[in-house]
């Protein structure tokens, strides 16, 4: 099992990602992680299940409020939300050497706008509406990643006080 799980994490999941099949990549990673580390998988899954209703409510409230605020500011954009998958949470905990409670991007909202100017204007709307977490901010517009990725990432305390990442 462990051999198949490692092979899946090293070969098949990255291949799915390269092919643009992110949903499959996430599923492969989570299944492999569950096989190789069932206790860790169960701990994270249990925590996510307990917090699920509160997370869904928080993301829905923030998304609706953000839509209204962007409309008021005449910023056109599409808003999507997502919950980080289990293996991704585990990797981040390892990489940052933190506990589950210290992961601020388990919930995320993506705002897709048409221009750089709108990115920064949307950031102003987000930071004007919710208290941001200063240590959780990355500007990949002014400093794009090597692969060309351009976005602004910030984390805010949502309407119910739960941390939510906003990617613009």
């Amino acid at each position: 099992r462990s051999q198949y799980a490692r092979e899946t994490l090293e070969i098949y999941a990255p291949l799915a990602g390269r092919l643009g099949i992110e949903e499959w990549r996430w599923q492969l990673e989570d299944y492999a992680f569950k096989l190789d580390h069932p206790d860790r998988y169960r701990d994270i899954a249990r925590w996510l299940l307990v917090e699920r209703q509160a997370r869904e409510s928080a993301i829905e409230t923030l998304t609706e409020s953000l839509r209204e605020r962007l409309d008021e500011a005449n910023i056109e954009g599409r808003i999507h939300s997502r919950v980080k998958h289990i293996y991704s949470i585990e990797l981040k905990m390892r990489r940052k050497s933190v506990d589950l409670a210290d992961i601020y991007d388990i919930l995320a909202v993506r705002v897709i706008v048409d221009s750089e100017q709108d990115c920064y204007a949307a950031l102003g709307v987000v930071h004007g509406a919710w208290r941001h977490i200063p240590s959780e901010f990355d500007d990949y517009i002014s400093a794009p990643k090597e692969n060309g990725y351009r976005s602004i990432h910030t984390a805010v305390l949502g309407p119910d006080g739960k941390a939510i990442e906003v990617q613009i």
Side-chain angles (χ1 to χ4, degrees):
R1 283 183 171 188
S2 286
Q3 180 183 349
Y4 290 133
R6 280 191 299 278
E7 185 177 297
T8 298
L9 290 173
E10 293 171 4
I11 298 170
Y12 301 113
L15 181 59
R18 293 272 185 196
L19 293 172
I21 314 170
E22 291 300 316
E23 186 75 27
W24 284 15
R25 186 192 76 166
W26 299 332
Q27 288 177 6
L28 289 169
E29 287 174 342
D30 281 354
Y31 289 140
F33 179 53
K34 184 178 183 176
L35 283 174
D36 209 24
H37 300 281
D39 293 336
R40 285 292 305 140
Y41 179 91
R42 195 171 25 260
D43 290 345
I44 295 170
R46 195 173 291 140
W47 185 88
L48 289 173
L49 184 63
V50 168
E51 295 287 321
R52 181 178 179 190
Q53 191 171 23
R55 282 193 326 272
E56 288 175 357
S57 175
I59 207 94
E60 186 176 320
T61 301
L62 185 125
T63 299
E64 289 172 8
S65 181
L66 182 56
R67 166 61 29 221
E68 290 171 9
R69 292 167 192 270
L70 290 175
D71 288 346
E72 288 171 7
N74 292 318
I75 301 170
E76 295 216 12
R78 295 183 312 275
I79 301 174
H80 306 279
S81 62
R82 66 108 173 113
V83 176
K84 199 172 201 66
H85 67 103
I86 294 173
Y87 183 67
S88 177
I89 293 168
E90 173 67 14
L91 287 181
K92 190 156 211 175
M93 288 169 55
R94 284 185 208 167
R95 189 173 67 248
K96 289 190 162 197
S97 297
V98 295
D99 292 326
L100 195 52
D102 297 322
I103 303 293
Y104 295 114
D105 66 342
I106 289 174
L107 296 176
V109 173
R110 284 196 180 117
V111 181
I112 301 170
V113 295
D114 292 328
S115 68
E116 286 183 17
Q117 182 178 351
D118 286 345
C119 280
Y120 291 107
L123 177 65
V125 167
V126 169
H127 282 182
W130 299 281
R131 197 179 92 185
H132 77 282
I133 301 169
S135 62
E136 298 295 317
F137 181 83
D138 293 298
D139 184 347
Y140 300 117
I141 298 292
S142 64
K145 287 188 173 186
E146 288 181 18
N147 64 3
Y149 177 79
R150 302 185 74 202
S151 180
I152 297 172
H153 292 199
T154 188
V156 297
L157 295 177
D160 62 352
K162 294 212 180 290
I164 299 175
E165 182 181 53
V166 180
Q167 302 168 349
I168 307 167

